[in-house]
Amino acid sequence: MNYFPWLTIIVVLPIFAGSLIFFLPHRGNKLIKWYTICICIFELLLTTYAFCYHFRLDDPLIQLVEDYKWINFFDFYWRVGIDGLSIGPILLTGFITTLATLAAWPVTRDSRLFHFLMLAMYSGQIGSFSSRDLLLFFIMWEFELIPVYLLLSMWGGKKRLYSATKFILYTAGGSIFLLIGVLGIGLYGSNEPTLNFETLANQSYPVALEIIFYIGFLIAFAVKSPIIPLHTWLPDTHGEAHYSTCMLLAGILLKMGAYGLVRINMELLPHAHSIFSPWLIIVGTMQIIYAASTSLGQRNLKKRIAYSSISHMGFIIIGIGSITDTGLNGAILQIISHGFIGAALFFLAGTSYDRIRLVYLDEMGGMAIPIPKIFTMFSILSMASLALPGMSGFVAELIVFFGIITSQKYFLMPKILITFVMAIGMILTPIYSLSMSRQMFYGYKLFNAPSSYFFDSGPRELFVSISIFLPVIGIGIYPDFVLSLSGEKVETILYNYFYR
Amino acid sequence: MEHTYQYSWIIPFVPLPVPILIGMGLLLFPTATKNLRRMWTFPNILLLSIVMIFSFDLSIQQINRSSIYQYVWSWTINNDFSFEFGYFIDSLTSIMSILITTVGILVLIYSDNYMSHDQGYLRFFAYMSLFNTSMLGLVTSSNLIQIYIFWELVGMCSYLLIGFWFTRPVAANACQKAFVTNRIGDFGLLLGILGFYWITGSFEFQDLFEIFNNLIYNNEVNFLFVTLCASLLFVGAVAKSAQFPLHVWLPDAMEGPTPISALIHAATMVAAGIFMVARLLPLFIVIPYIMNLISLIGIITVLLGATLALAQKDIKRGLAYSTMSQLGYMMLALGMGSYRAALFHLITHAYSKALLFLGSGSIIHSMEAVVGYSPDKSQNMVFMGGLRKHVPITKIAFLVGTLSLCGIPPLACFWSKDEILSDSWLYSPIFAIIAWSTAGLTAFYMFRIYLLTFEGHLNIHFQNYSGKKNSSFYSIKLWGKEEQKMINRNFRLSPLLTMNNNERSSLFWKKPYRIGGNVKKGALITITNFGAKKASSFSYPHESDNTMLFPMLVLVLFTLFVGAIAIPFNQEGIHLDILSKLLTPSINLLHQNSNNFEDWYEFLTNATFSVSIACFGIFTAFLLYEPFYSSLQNLNLLNSFAKRGPKRIFLDKIIYLIYDWSYNRGYIDTFYSISLIKGIRGLAELTHFFDRRVIDGITNGVGITSFFVGEGIKYVGGSRISFYLLLYLFYVLIFLLIYYFIF
């Protein structure tokens, strides 16, 4: 086929271009902003081009493969490739990161470093989504933590150091288990380490060992995803971080956990997964209810959104646990859909924070008159977040529901119970998201400050929110956009469960 | 002929461009869009008229040849699942689409004037078109998923429109309440859909009915599970149609602009629940428990709505409770299996209630100029009265609507309600008695509203008659009218009618009754605002503009003549009416073998009875609410009532209890706010506490412990050689001791 190393270029381009930022002449932030945004757009276009012309949707195998030996000493390869599972998250990464860079224009403090870190994160995320080698996956996974930590600890609210430390400790703690799992799987059996995903997917292990591996990976991904009770880093982090960081965190970083669950736990360890899947479903259901009701008790706007995204991750976990074609498709759709919705909500919360400078919901109120455009976008997107039909969240949740209903693994009574509890989450969602928008925007308030203090959303902010809103509604009306990407691959993954 | 069917997928999409364009315009080019303003109304009305012509055409075809037309596209295809989109045209669809479009067009014309001074004029029209789109989508949808989708979209439109005046905290609360309550219904609906999918493996109505009937026939289903699923489906209808346990959102929904109340919360959206039950009736009819449940919920709602409507002060809330009660009638009819009567009542009620709401909007519009723009005042019947002279056309329209709703013969609702009532005799005598007596109640509360609004004198000026402006001591009569003491001091009004003496009320009620609280305040504010104006001359309400009167008059025509569609006309020996022709393939449980002659006799007796009950209700209303100073005769009559002695007090008590119950909305809202809202808040607090203290506490605890351990080790490793030596020797000693004891 073609031997042009598309993926390698896509992975390394942002960080190389990003390191050039430091050599740019000191001429204010404007140059850096434009440079970064150009790099991001170029990268996005490159990705889209490569995927359009060199990726075939009907092929469930990995494509655009590149395989170079990197370190001879222990068989470490630079193996990248994409398939139906990873193409969605990679495109999402490109899209969200570009918009987050655009959203980060007001950042003036150390903007050089900030933009470099954004680009570094871009590389790390695409790298971990596209790696086909277990060790490379681990390295990319860790590599992407550094920029996030720096972004968290240098820009944001007052308690940012606390939350950044919490984040790094949580994720580093998770990474230990990931490393144990990676080494365990790699060194099992043969004399030389096997780290290739393809060969590993066909390997089978003793059940006890597989369970141990599974638990290790599960903890690592549960921290990232997050799955309760390992979620407390998320509200703190999101509450403190700058909103463009939040967009990246909510839009992409959380999805890495879910992606890892599918990629490693489902694909490589099918037996253990079918043992653990009932527990996953139970935890997912609890998470939906728990996080939704915790979200109600939050006073801080961003923490409320953060809990709502934890609650939405529950659907992904249930979809993964349901071991059906439908459920897994729903989970992937939810990954993409929540990537958009969560990022947009954080963006809007951040922009309205920039204007009103209030963190707590009960102090706000009556913002609809001064900032009508933000109000409009916020209400639309909170509708999307509560799974209004016609938006992507609804389709994803509906498909997950069907995944549970059609799952042959479970009996009728547990299915009824699980569905029932999930549906209760559906009642709680509008309570928190609508009361959030009510407390922020509805009602009236007399402002002491002169009215010129507030200015409505400018074209840049409007552009960001509309361009997130368009795919949300697009997927909601025609979900095959995403489902056609992942359908074949999902079938291949599930094939293992029934015919092996 | 077939072309109409072929292209009828376009029905929901015709009004769609308007909200999209307005929305984009408002977001991207706000000033330019706002300058066009009224230009936007024309495409709005035009597109809806196209749909109306379309649906008239469809229903004519349905009358000629009753056939079901279905067309389906695939929406998402996957190996395991596929969702489909399509449209489904049958008589029900054509009736509903005619209803939606006619009422929709009239309301759009009306609201052009009603909202003309509002800031959010364009927003309003965008929401309205969005609502029309989704409502038309709901009635044409061909499977349950599609129903669910449009069901929620309709709910969202209702949310947006209730919260249209978002600066008012009351409206903000009301719209959230409406959405959440409807979401509870959606929860049931979704679970029901999933359950039926699990049983039958299909969403399409026809496949679903067929498979399900086969399963029932072969006795292959778990009956309990089926009943559960069916009742979950019914929960959706309960929430949307404001039936008993989930009716709480409807009265609060009156916070929205009045045209909305006419279109969404009286004529179309609340009828969606009835529509869905009617659509799924072939499914429900094979499960007898569900039919009983439906009729039970229906009858409870009929009674509850009527009793709650008795003492509302807000004119729109009164109408809202009446809507709820009438929806209960439809639900009752569906539960009894008389599909035809339910749909007939749906149509007639929609027109009559839309007329009433538009009339009340006109009243509010004319009152606003006098009392101010707060809905506490402009919608308050306390301040109204005597509007007959000022707004004569509105008065006629409103009177026609009232009479129709009461069930006075030539008007629309009489025919349908009579049909339901006579069917209820066949079903169950108890239900029939309740339904009949509620017909009397309906007449009573409707005429109460009418009399308080239009008869007598304009109450807003009463304080000026009495000469003292800050008479905050005047009390409010039980039913929300001012006490007559100021005019007629020597006339101790019968205790039946007054609530002024708190000591009496506290005899049988612990807490002094606080009805008048906000009203008094409102009156005071009004005086300060308008005092200067009034000093010279009283300002009187004026009749609304022609743009507002025209839709009302059209609706009057509808109310007068829509009953005719079910009047049988003999043609070549075939006894048929239009509605029966439309609904031939439908289900009728009760009239299995009724022949022509008996029918007429039965009809006459039933009609006389129901009309007499309605007249009794009207008479009672006249007795109680006839303005006192207008006819002395009544005063005497009331005096004679009042002088009746101790018996009165007992009756007084009962009436007071009823009014208290009614005014406080049956304490159902209070119960919900105590149990559910407090419960959820408590849960939220609890989980928040758990999350902060326990889960996060463990994390922080680990952090703090590691800090202390580190500090401890730092202290231990304080680079003192002697300490190291001590430790070293200590460990050697322990080691030696262990060695010594073991070996």
Side-chain angles (χ1 to χ4, degrees):
Chain A
M1 268 166 52
N2 65 319
Y3 293 102
F4 193 74
W6 286 111
L7 275 179
T8 312
I9 288 179
I10 289 170
V11 171
V12 297
L13 174 80
I15 189 158
F16 269 103
S19 51
L20 290 181
I21 286 182
F22 294 104
F23 301 107
L24 287 177
H26 288 271
R27 226 184 284 152
N29 295 325
K30 203 166 182 180
L31 181 66
I32 301 166
K33 282 177 200 166
W34 277 109
Y35 177 72
T36 320
I37 195 81
C38 286
I39 294 293
C40 282
I41 289 172
F42 177 64
E43 167 90 0
L44 182 60
L45 290 178
L46 193 68
T47 320
T48 327
Y49 171 77
F51 291 173
C52 270
Y53 289 97
H54 303 289
F55 184 82
R56 290 204 320 280
L57 287 176
D58 48 353
D59 188 0
L61 296 175
I62 55 161
Q63 297 170 49
L64 297 171
V65 190
E66 284 158 47
D67 198 343
Y68 308 112
K69 194 149 206 173
W70 191 353
I71 304 176
N72 215 347
F73 169 56
F74 58 98
D75 276 346
F76 181 45
Y77 288 85
W78 171 267
R79 266 194 210 106
V80 286
I82 54 166
D83 57 7
L85 192 60
S86 50
I87 184 169
I90 289 177
L91 287 174
L92 178 76
T93 309
F95 193 76
I96 297 291
T97 312
T98 310
L99 290 178
T101 325
L102 194 57
W105 275 24
V107 173
T108 47
R109 198 164 65 86
D110 275 342
S111 79
R112 219 167 258 273
L113 184 59
F114 188 90
H115 286 101
F116 167 70
L117 291 174
M118 295 280 267
L119 288 176
M121 207 166 147
Y122 201 164
S123 277
Q125 280 157 340
I126 289 188
S128 59
F129 282 129
S130 63
S131 65
R132 299 293 312 169
D133 185 283
L134 209 49
L135 199 59
L136 184 65
F137 178 78
F138 174 74
I139 288 171
M140 285 299 182
W141 180 275
E142 292 296 300
F143 168 68
E144 159 272 348
L145 286 185
I146 303 161
V148 181
Y149 173 72
L150 289 176
L151 281 173
L152 286 175
S153 61
M154 295 178 70
W155 291 269
K158 286 176 194 132
K159 278 175 73 186
R160 58 176 183 265
L161 266 178
Y162 166 75
S163 56
T165 315
K166 201 169 183 177
F167 169 77
I168 200 76
L169 287 180
Y170 255 111
T171 39
S175 297
I176 293 170
F177 293 95
L178 184 63
L179 183 63
I180 294 171
V182 166
L183 292 181
I185 282 191
L187 300 176
Y188 173 75
S190 52
N191 293 329
E192 53 188 26
T194 46
L195 293 163
N196 195 348
F197 275 147
E198 270 99 322
T199 43
L200 287 174
N202 299 321
Q203 198 171 10
S204 58
Y205 310 91
V207 175
L209 190 65
E210 196 171 335
I211 288 175
I212 291 174
F213 286 156
Y214 191 89
I215 292 175
F217 283 117
L218 183 63
I219 291 174
F221 298 136
V223 168
K224 208 52 163 274
S225 205
I227 300 174
I228 53 167
L230 300 172
H231 64 277
T232 49
W233 63 271
L234 191 133
D236 280 323
T237 316
H238 285 217
E240 297 301 324
H242 185 262
Y243 56 82
S244 57
T245 319
C246 275
M247 284 171 77
L248 290 180
L249 280 175
I252 307 157
L253 206 75
L254 305 189
K255 311 304 174 288
M256 283 174 65
Y259 171 79
L261 270 180
V262 181
R263 174 64 78 200
I264 292 180
N265 286 22
M266 272 193 91
E267 211 176 346
L268 304 187
L269 308 165
H271 296 289
H273 185 69
S274 54
I275 295 169
F276 271 91
S277 56
W279 300 106
L280 274 185
I281 288 189
I282 291 170
V283 168
T285 337
M286 276 171 57
Q287 178 166 340
I288 291 174
I289 300 294
Y290 177 84
S293 47
T294 316
S295 172
L296 280 173
Q298 300 296 323
R299 286 175 65 225
N300 187 327
L301 168 66
K302 279 175 147 184
K303 282 192 179 177
R304 189 171 269 203
I305 303 176
Y307 274 105
S308 91
S309 54
I310 299 177
S311 172
H312 283 111
M313 298 314 275
F315 280 98
I316 299 182
I317 299 164
I318 291 175
I320 291 173
S322 73
I323 322 190
T324 49
D325 213 341
T326 325
L328 192 54
N329 268 320
I332 291 167
L333 195 57
Q334 174 81 329
I335 288 177
I336 306 287
S337 130
H338 183 261
F340 289 123
I341 296 171
L345 277 180
F346 276 113
F347 171 70
L348 288 168
T351 44
S352 42
Y353 171 75
D354 274 358
R355 287 168 174 79
I356 45 186
R357 294 278 156 201
L358 292 173
V359 182
Y360 294 115
L361 278 170
D362 39 10
E363 294 167 353
M364 300 180 193
M367 293 310 298
I369 297 285
I371 45 175
K373 285 176 187 165
I374 295 181
F375 168 52
T376 317
M377 293 316 292
F378 196 90
S379 9
I380 291 174
L381 283 155
S382 55
M383 285 286 171
S385 144
L386 58 82
L388 190 83
M391 314 260 196
S392 57
F394 166 72
V395 187
E397 289 182 17
L398 187 73
I399 295 178
V400 171
F401 267 112
F402 278 107
I404 275 289
I405 281 291
T406 53
S407 171
Q408 288 150 7
K409 193 172 156 51
Y410 306 102
F411 300 113
L412 178 61
M413 270 322 278
K415 273 202 272 193
I416 293 176
L417 272 179
I418 294 284
T419 323
F420 199 78
V421 178
M422 277 165 78
I424 288 177
M426 220 182 74
I427 300 177
L428 291 175
T429 322
I431 297 181
Y432 67 72
S433 68
L434 290 187
S435 72
M436 187 162 69
S437 100
R438 176 176 57 88
Q439 283 174 320
M440 275 175 81
F441 294 108
Y442 285 59
Y444 58 89
K445 196 173 181 182
L446 297 173
F447 295 101
N448 296 325
S451 58
S452 60
Y453 188 67
F454 300 109
F455 49 94
D456 198 8
S457 169
R460 179 181 58 88
E461 287 157 342
L462 204 59
F463 174 75
V464 172
S465 41
I466 287 180
S467 46
I468 297 184
F469 166 65
L470 286 180
V472 166
I473 208 154
I475 296 173
I477 287 172
Y478 193 66
D480 272 5
F481 282 138
V482 176
L483 292 179
S484 64
L485 295 178
S486 60
E488 297 291 329
K489 178 66 188 171
V490 163
E491 214 175 308
T492 327
I493 293 175
L494 284 166
Y495 185 79
N496 288 339
Y497 284 85
F498 300 111
Y499 304 101
R500 204 167 85 175
Chain B
M1 269 311 183
E2 289 297 310
H3 288 303
T4 332
Y5 283 127
Q6 240 167 39
Y7 292 111
S8 50
W9 58 270
I10 212 167
I11 285 182
F13 294 105
V14 170
L16 189 62
V18 177
I20 293 177
L21 285 177
I22 294 182
M24 272 168 52
L26 280 181
L27 212 56
L28 301 176
F29 320 101
T31 18
T33 318
K34 273 181 186 157
N35 285 338
L36 283 176
R37 215 168 149 83
R38 296 196 72 164
M39 291 283 279
W40 286 105
T41 330
F42 293 111
N44 224 335
I45 294 171
L46 181 75
L47 292 177
L48 207 56
S49 319
I50 293 172
V51 183
M52 183 179 73
I53 293 165
F54 219 125
S55 45
F56 267 115
D57 187 32
L58 277 182
S59 62
I60 287 169
Q61 289 185 33
Q62 285 287 336
I63 290 171
N64 288 336
R65 190 185 50 212
S66 187
S67 61
I68 292 172
Y69 192 85
Q70 189 176 10
Y71 196 87
V72 170
W73 292 274
S74 70
W75 179 36
T76 62
I77 315 173
N78 212 291
N79 306 49
D80 259 18
F81 62 98
S82 67
F83 296 134
E84 282 164 335
F85 251 25
Y87 60 92
F88 183 91
I89 309 286
D90 65 345
S91 47
L92 185 59
T93 306
S94 60
I95 289 177
M96 288 299 287
S97 52
I98 287 182
L99 188 70
I100 294 159
T101 46
T102 43
V103 179
I105 288 171
L106 293 175
V107 166
L108 280 176
I109 295 172
Y110 180 89
S111 44
D112 172 49
N113 193 301
Y114 192 86
M115 305 297 290
S116 60
H117 297 296
D118 201 285
Q119 285 282 317
Y121 180 84
L122 285 177
R123 201 158 50 91
F124 182 81
F125 274 91
Y127 289 168
M128 286 281 267
S129 307
L130 193 60
F131 171 76
N132 286 330
T133 305
S134 32
M135 194 67 206
L136 287 169
L138 177 65
V139 296
T140 50
S141 53
S142 76
N143 58 29
L144 282 171
I145 290 293
Q146 220 175 329
I147 283 230
Y148 181 81
I149 287 173
F150 287 115
W151 191 263
E152 285 240 320
L153 284 180
V154 166
M156 181 207 64
C157 293
S158 149
Y159 164 81
L160 290 175
L161 284 165
I162 295 169
F164 182 76
W165 287 314
F166 48 75
T167 42
R168 294 204 331 238
V170 194
N173 292 336
C175 66
Q176 196 184 351
K177 186 176 182 180
F179 196 90
V180 173
T181 318
N182 271 315
R183 198 67 192 238
I184 294 172
D186 298 343
F187 154 84
L189 185 63
L190 182 65
L191 286 181
I193 291 172
L194 291 174
F196 273 107
Y197 179 71
W198 192 80
I199 295 169
T200 62
S202 172
F203 297 123
E204 306 295 322
F205 293 125
Q206 300 205 309
D207 301 351
L208 188 71
F209 301 152
E210 207 170 301
I211 297 170
F212 188 68
N213 281 332
N214 280 337
L215 287 176
I216 288 274
Y217 184 69
N218 299 328
N219 218 354
E220 278 174 7
V221 285
N222 183 355
F223 207 72
L224 194 69
F225 184 61
V226 167
T227 317
L228 177 74
C229 289
S231 40
L232 281 172
L233 272 184
F234 179 59
V235 168
V238 165
K240 207 50 118 202
S241 287
Q243 300 294 299
F244 157 57
L246 299 175
H247 64 274
V248 286
W249 66 273
L250 187 60
D252 283 351
M254 296 300 136
E255 291 299 328
T258 313
I260 292 313
S261 311
L263 179 64
I264 299 187
H265 304 121
T268 54
M269 190 191 83
V270 287
I274 310 293
F275 164 78
M276 197 196 67
V277 175
R279 177 65 95 204
L280 295 177
L281 207 60
L283 196 74
F284 290 142
I285 217 156
V286 287
I287 317 167
Y289 293 120
I290 276 301
M291 295 301 274
N292 293 338
L293 179 73
I294 292 174
S295 50
L296 182 69
I297 294 284
I299 198 78
I300 292 174
T301 315
V302 166
L303 193 61
L304 189 75
T307 50
L308 294 187
L310 287 180
Q312 297 301 321
K313 270 187 319 202
D314 187 319
I315 182 167
K316 281 174 71 184
R317 270 171 213 253
L319 291 177
Y321 277 115
S322 130
T323 308
M324 175 186 152
S325 169
Q326 301 299 317
L327 288 168
Y329 272 116
M330 296 171 213
M331 215 41 121
L332 173 69
L334 284 174
M336 294 185 305
S338 53
Y339 182 77
R340 193 190 109 107
L343 285 185
F344 189 24
H345 197 56
L346 174 63
I347 298 166
T348 54
H349 167 257
Y351 289 121
S352 314
K353 197 41 83 56
L355 173 62
L356 281 173
F357 266 114
L358 291 190
S360 75
S362 165
I363 295 165
I364 291 165
H365 214 242
S366 50
M367 285 299 285
E368 266 175 352
V370 184
V371 294
Y373 287 86
S374 158
D376 278 343
K377 284 176 270 171
S378 62
Q379 303 179 10
N380 200 333
M381 289 192 284
V382 171
F383 297 131
M384 294 177 191
L387 291 179
R388 190 185 43 192
K389 281 162 286 186
H390 309 300
V391 286
I393 303 175
T394 309
K395 178 235 167 188
I396 293 169
F398 201 88
L399 182 63
V400 169
T402 309
L403 286 176
S404 161
L405 211 60
C406 296
I408 301 301
L411 298 169
C413 273
F414 160 72
W415 304 99
S416 54
K417 196 187 254 182
D418 192 61
E419 209 165 308
I420 294 177
L421 291 179
S422 56
D423 280 355
S424 67
W425 278 115
L426 300 176
Y427 182 70
S428 144
I430 303 171
F431 281 17
I433 289 166
I434 297 175
W436 282 81
S437 49
T438 313
L441 275 181
T442 309
F444 176 75
Y445 67 70
M446 283 317 296
F447 260 84
R448 168 178 171 270
I449 292 174
Y450 171 76
L451 292 172
L452 285 182
T453 315
F454 289 105
E455 298 297 324
H457 292 287
L458 196 61
N459 290 343
I460 184 74
H461 298 315
F462 274 172
Q463 49 266 32
N464 295 51
Y465 289 146
S466 67
K468 45 177 185 178
K469 286 202 170 182
N470 52 352
S471 63
S472 60
F473 296 110
Y474 78 78
S475 62
I476 300 303
K477 232 194 324 178
L478 231 78
W479 10 72
K481 209 160 96 169
E482 284 172 41
E483 212 249 311
Q484 306 299 316
K485 193 166 65 177
M486 289 169 279
I487 307 159
N488 228 336
R489 260 164 216 288
N490 50 355
F491 174 54
R492 263 328 280 179
L493 200 64
S494 57
L496 163 72
L497 296 179
T498 41
M499 272 309 307
N500 58 333
N501 31 8
N502 277 339
E503 64 272 21
R504 187 194 300 275
S505 58
S506 55
L507 279 180
F508 44 82
W509 204 252
K510 291 285 186 323
K511 207 171 61 179
Y513 202 55
R514 305 288 295 175
I515 277 187
N518 52 359
V519 181
K520 283 174 207 159
K521 213 164 62 185
L524 272 178
I525 291 167
T526 313
I527 293 163
T528 50
N529 282 347
F530 288 85
K533 207 167 148 196
K534 266 183 228 154
S536 55
S537 66
F538 294 142
S539 60
Y540 284 107
H542 294 290
E543 184 64 284
S544 313
D545 284 348
N546 288 335
T547 336
M548 274 166 80
L549 294 179
F550 167 71
M552 281 161 62
L553 293 179
V554 176
L555 279 174
V556 165
L557 291 183
F558 269 115
T559 313
L560 283 173
F561 297 116
V562 89
I565 63 167
I567 299 174
F569 51 91
N570 278 318
Q571 191 185 14
E572 300 160 14
I574 308 161
H575 179 73
L576 269 182
D577 51 276
I578 297 174
L579 196 68
S580 306
K581 259 190 167 177
L582 266 178
L583 303 174
T584 16
S586 66
I587 310 102
N588 206 339
L589 283 184
L590 300 170
H591 296 286
Q592 242 75 357
N593 45 358
S594 63
N595 67 39
N596 204 352
F597 190 68
E598 259 182 345
D599 235 27
W600 269 105
Y601 176 69
E602 211 176 283
F603 172 75
L604 270 182
T605 46
N606 280 330
T608 5
F609 198 30
S610 66
V611 169
S612 60
I613 282 215
C615 287
F616 176 69
I618 294 173
F619 177 70
T620 326
F622 260 107
L623 214 60
L624 294 179
Y625 293 105
E626 178 70 357
F628 301 99
Y629 40 85
S630 60
S631 65
L632 279 172
Q633 219 174 356
N634 264 322
L635 290 188
N636 295 334
L637 187 68
L638 277 173
N639 270 331
S640 66
F641 268 133
K643 282 169 191 157
R644 278 262 192 85
K647 231 182 171 180
R648 271 295 26 140
I649 293 173
F650 180 66
L651 200 65
D652 205 24
K653 236 185 231 179
I654 291 178
I655 289 180
Y656 174 63
L657 275 179
I658 291 174
Y659 273 95
D660 189 56
W661 157 268
S662 169
Y663 189 76
N664 290 310
R665 305 155 162 218
Y667 295 101
I668 295 170
D669 287 44
T670 327
F671 171 72
Y672 282 162
S673 70
I674 288 173
S675 61
L676 293 179
I677 297 174
K678 288 263 175 68
I680 286 178
R681 287 219 174 112
L683 179 73
E685 286 297 311
L686 187 72
T687 48
H688 179 51
F689 177 79
F690 182 75
D691 202 67
R692 277 243 66 78
R693 299 278 166 242
V694 181
I695 297 185
D696 210 24
I698 290 171
T699 317
N700 287 337
V702 169
I704 289 171
T705 323
S706 67
F707 172 75
F708 276 118
V709 168
E711 284 293 312
I713 288 174
K714 195 176 94 185
Y715 176 74
V716 169
S719 69
R720 278 178 296 173
I721 302 289
S722 56
F723 190 69
Y724 288 167
L725 278 178
L726 183 69
L727 265 184
Y728 176 69
L729 288 176
F730 185 66
Y731 276 110
V732 167
L733 196 67
I734 289 172
F735 181 72
L736 283 177
L737 276 176
I738 292 169
Y739 188 78
Y740 176 76
F741 277 115
I742 291 175
F743 300 103

